Amino acid sequence: MLYPRPRRLKCRLTGALGLPTDHHPIEQVEAFLAVGTFGGFRRAAAALRLTQPAVSARIRALEDSLSVRLFERGRQGHGLALSAAGRALRPHAEQLLQAVALARQAVHDIRPASGGAIQIAAVLSICTYLLPDVLQRFQASHKDVMITVRSGHSKEVLEMVLRGDAEIGLARSLHHPEVETVSLRDDPLVLVGRAASWPASTRRARLEEIADRPLIFFDRGSSDWTLTQGLFRRAGLVPNVALEVETIETAKRMVQRGMGLAFLPHLAVGRELRRRSLVAIEIMDAEPIVRSLDVIHPRPRPLSAAARALLQALRSALSEAAGPPRRRR
């Protein structure tokens, strides 16, 4: 005799999202936000490190539970776009993931305190020019915390955070659906030269003039290198690259010796600008190369108390340091 299949009860989350708990609603919401961000299942699956069928199944389960279509074909048939229902759901989905993170944090905070350890991933310039002061300040009040620092380009920092090899990452202008991004300050690329070679009355120039002068580029293939090259390429100019070096510090020392000009992060040259051994040169007919200095950490995993204290030390150090120069109008 065949018995009738028992009817499943769909347990609703308080607040009217209507997500069934028997289909992992948090994972469905993460998949929904990833597809909405990347405009398709393939890139969303790569970002979530899942197969496309797994992402499709999560979206289908979410749509079935809500009895709506959340996506529609993009313009001219390219990619996916949020439907009206998807656009209505998106802010609530983002709030839900934030609430989950806060709930995990609340549980984490009542566990017995211990020194613990922090794993940090950071781009090399931040390791060199920001972290020494920050970690000195941090360790003065957290002597029992073990700190590990690993460096790489911004993409490598993101990958270390996503893999769980680092609790927090420090990079520039990084955004990804699986990480929370906190922007601490702008850190533009500043064109600098030796002060003795640039009297105050000559510290403004057109990009074409700069392209003809000896230039020092660093770290070929990095985002800084690409942004600097792009500035000239968009203007139809070929820069006169006199030297290519591996590190910011090497490029800075070459500039100090009068061997050329360089576009360097303000974080790396702030002290020299204040001491006037280097000067900033304004390019009158080009937009500044602006990037943000960001802290990233995984959305699903709450920051430890030690990591939150480190984040506060970062904010304090940056607020006390001189900010980037303002562009004259």
Side-chain angles (χ1 to χ4, degrees):
M1 178 178 179
L2 295 176
Y3 291 92
R5 200 171 178 179
R7 186 179 178 182
R8 284 187 178 176
L9 296 177
K10 292 186 176 181
C11 178
R12 306 285 177 176
L13 291 177
T14 304
L17 268 188
L19 305 179
T21 58
D22 55 350
H23 282 295
H24 306 290
I26 303 305
E27 295 176 352
Q28 292 176 21
V29 170
E30 289 174 341
F32 164 71
L33 290 175
V35 174
T37 298
F38 290 108
F41 290 103
R42 181 179 62 81
R43 292 177 63 195
L48 296 173
R49 288 168 289 170
L50 297 170
T51 63
Q52 287 189 54
V55 173
S56 299
R58 292 181 183 185
I59 297 299
R60 188 164 53 250
L62 181 58
E63 290 179 331
D64 289 347
S65 70
L66 296 171
S67 301
V68 294
R69 300 291 294 178
L70 296 173
F71 295 97
E72 56 192 22
R73 279 287 161 200
R75 292 180 180 178
Q76 300 178 345
H78 296 302
L80 294 175
L82 291 172
S83 66
R87 292 193 296 274
L89 175 62
R90 184 168 194 161
H92 300 287
E94 291 171 343
Q95 291 173 15
L96 176 61
L97 290 190
Q98 182 65 25
V100 170
L102 291 174
R104 287 175 172 155
Q105 185 63 64
V107 174
H108 183 274
D109 285 346
I110 65 173
R111 295 188 304 187
S114 63
I118 305 175
Q119 295 79 36
I120 303 168
V123 296
L124 186 58
S125 59
I126 293 176
C127 287
T128 304
Y129 301 107
L130 178 60
L131 279 184
D133 290 341
V134 170
L135 295 182
Q136 181 182 33
R137 181 187 306 230
F138 176 79
Q139 287 195 318
S141 55
H142 297 80
K143 294 182 173 62
D144 56 345
V145 176
M146 172 67 182
I147 300 172
T148 303
V149 180
R150 299 176 63 187
S151 64
H153 289 146
S154 291
K155 183 179 179 181
E156 294 167 330
V157 169
L158 175 61
E159 290 172 350
M160 283 188 267
V161 171
L162 291 175
R163 287 197 307 265
D165 295 339
E167 184 174 4
I168 62 174
L170 299 169
R172 293 186 179 85
S173 302
L174 267 186
H175 298 277
H176 187 280
E178 283 192 85
V179 301
E180 193 77 31
T181 300
V182 179
S183 293
L184 300 177
R185 194 185 82 179
D186 284 344
D187 185 31
L189 284 175
V190 182
L191 179 64
V192 293
R194 187 172 64 167
S197 304
W198 289 84
S201 60
T202 66
R203 292 172 191 170
R204 301 184 77 195
R206 296 189 177 280
L207 188 60
E208 187 174 6
E209 300 172 50
I210 299 301
D212 288 336
R213 290 180 174 268
L215 292 167
I216 302 166
F217 278 31
F218 67 91
D219 199 5
R220 174 182 281 268
S222 68
S223 60
D224 290 344
W225 187 91
T226 302
L227 288 168
T228 305
Q229 283 281 3
L231 181 69
F232 292 99
R233 185 175 61 252
R234 288 191 299 274
L237 298 170
V238 177
N240 175 24
V241 181
L243 287 166
E244 274 200 16
V245 297
E246 287 193 358
T247 68
I248 294 171
E249 188 63 24
T250 303
K252 182 168 68 173
R253 290 176 183 270
M254 300 293 186
V255 174
Q256 288 173 323
R257 285 161 175 74
M259 299 173 69
L261 305 174
F263 288 86
L264 300 177
H266 182 269
L267 184 67
V269 295
R271 181 174 301 174
E272 288 76 14
L273 292 174
R274 291 191 296 273
R275 293 176 176 175
R276 300 184 181 178
S277 62
L278 295 178
V279 294
I281 301 157
E282 181 185 352
I283 302 176
M284 297 182 292
D285 57 346
E287 290 297 315
I289 305 176
V290 179
R291 305 92 42 79
S292 59
L293 198 162
D294 297 339
V295 174
I296 62 170
H297 62 87
R299 286 183 187 274
R301 296 197 297 272
L303 286 177
S304 64
R308 296 199 307 276
L310 178 62
L311 182 55
Q312 184 55 47
L314 277 164
R315 287 196 175 104
S316 298
L318 289 171
S319 66
E320 293 172 12
R326 293 184 179 180
R327 191 171 183 244
R328 291 165 59 182
R329 298 184 181 274

